[in-house]
Amino acid sequence: QGVAELVFGDPQALADLNAIVHPVVAQAIGARLAELVGTDSIVVLDVPLLVESGRDDLAGMIVVDTEPDVAVGRLVSQRAFKEADARSRMSRQASREQRLQRADFVIHNDGTLDELKVQVGACWDWLRTKAAEQ
């Protein structure tokens, strides 16, 4: 049994794990960001629970969005999740509406890989424009 199976069914265990992991991750992110101050680097934080974190010191937030049933199907087919487990985990995260409300840029990931590549290119252009404005 993996850590995920242990904690996602037990709210207290999940809270305990988050209390251990999140401060360490935040410290590591802060240290890395401090190293990049004064550079022309564009920093992208790939943080699955960013909306839940309440972090508000970002230049912008990108949300990769997909229909919930598509997301569940991908978790089942590509990552060997059980459907009930995938839905249970998703129910504990910020809702789709909450993520979209916080988004400054949305990448819609319901189509083909080629369509996704076009959107990622547009997102990169948006990031470069945001960086130039800073």
Side-chain angles (χ1 to χ4, degrees), residues 21-41:
V21 172
H22 290 186
V24 174
V25 170
Q27 183 179 13
I29 289 171
R32 182 69 177 125
L33 290 174
E35 293 173 10
L36 297 170
V37 169
T39 72
D40 64 352
S41 296

Side-chain angles (χ1 to χ4, degrees), residues 74-127:
R74 289 176 180 166
L75 289 169
V76 169
S77 68
Q78 298 171 14
R79 296 183 55 194
F81 275 57
K82 293 181 177 135
E83 182 177 345
D85 185 36
R87 291 189 186 281
S88 176
R89 290 186 196 198
M90 289 171 61
S91 74
R92 292 186 190 97
Q93 299 172 353
S95 70
R96 183 180 192 197
E97 292 75 23
Q98 290 168 318
R99 287 190 306 275
L100 291 172
Q101 185 175 27
R102 287 280 315 274
D104 296 299
F105 191 98
V106 178
I107 296 174
H108 300 279
N109 190 14
D110 291 328
T112 67
L113 187 55
D114 287 336
E115 291 168 333
L116 180 61
K117 287 178 182 178
V118 169
Q119 291 185 68
V120 169
C123 183
W124 181 247
D125 292 341
W126 176 79
L127 283 169

